[in-house]
Amino acid sequence: IHFDYKLALEAAAAGVDKIRINPGNIGGDDRVKAVATVCREKKIPIRIGVNSGSVEKSILAKYGAPTAEALCESALYHASLLEKFDFTDIVISLKSSSVDTNIKAYERIAERCDYPLHLGVTEAGGVLRGAIKSSVGMGVLLSEGIGDTLRVSLTAAPEEEMTVAWELLRALG
């Protein structure tokens, strides 16, 4: 759910397990408060998903590009919007198609907050390229003890994503 807070409210009413949203994209404080309130009442976590294409214009202007610091600042900003309404059941996801940016962004966010982190590399590619990018990008972080959940995103069948994810976890023991 990106821009329409009503869809987030409907999803919560329907009993979803988790909502993925960027609070800064759904409008004013009243809308953020409505989503935070219903999710708190129903014990539904909210995953803040920031990727290179969703960083706010003001943050992009500050850093000049969707850098690791820009991704981190954007996620912390979104978390602060939820925290303002006493909502802290938050999971943070920072995804870049650049493996180096991805690693640095997650390392920075891990230093600055204790929220669970959902790992992934966006636009990873087909099976071979995507498996390599995902394995390097997430493998480094997992070996550093960073990350709580993960998703391998490939331009391939979903079964291939699961195979790569399991092999990555097996390789790391």
Side-chain angles (χ1 to χ4, degrees):
I1 311 287
H2 287 281
F3 300 103
D4 190 339
Y5 80 104
K6 291 177 188 173
L7 294 176
L9 297 175
E10 288 177 27
V16 299
D17 292 324
K18 187 185 297 180
I19 290 176
R20 186 235 194 242
I21 198 167
N22 288 352
N25 291 347
I26 62 171
D29 279 1
D30 57 327
R31 293 176 177 188
V32 176
K33 183 178 182 180
V35 173
T37 299
V38 73
C39 286
R40 185 177 53 255
E41 289 170 358
K42 293 183 172 282
K43 298 184 178 3
I44 299 171
I46 295 176
R47 177 163 65 93
I48 295 170
V50 176
N51 61 43
S52 297
S54 69
V55 177
E56 294 77 9
K57 290 179 184 176
S58 61
I59 295 175
L60 281 177
K62 179 178 176 181
Y63 294 101
T67 62
E69 191 60 39
L71 292 168
C72 184
E73 187 172 318
S74 178
L76 292 174
Y77 163 70
H78 290 295
S80 75
L81 293 176
L82 293 171
E83 291 165 346
K84 183 165 50 170
F85 300 109
D86 197 31
F87 187 88
T88 58
D89 193 0
I90 297 169
V91 176
I92 294 177
S93 176
L94 308 172
K95 295 182 182 178
S96 172
S97 58
S98 161
V99 171
D100 186 55
T101 299
N102 219 55
I103 292 169
K104 289 176 182 173
Y106 278 107
E107 289 172 338
R108 282 177 172 76
I109 198 85
E111 292 171 353
R112 295 185 187 162
C113 74
D114 291 324
Y115 289 123
L117 300 176
H118 174 74
L119 304 182
V121 177
T122 195
E123 301 170 14
V127 176
L128 181 60
R129 183 170 189 257
I132 292 169
K133 286 178 74 172
S134 294
S135 296
V136 172
M138 290 187 275
V140 167
L141 294 165
L142 290 169
S143 70
E144 292 175 0
I146 297 171
D148 299 283
T149 58
L150 62 86
R151 163 133 192 253
V152 173
S153 298
L154 304 175
T155 52
E159 297 82 10
E160 296 292 339
E161 295 177 348
M162 293 301 302
T163 300
V164 173
W166 281 113
E167 289 303 321
L168 168 60
L169 293 173
R170 277 189 198 99
L172 291 168

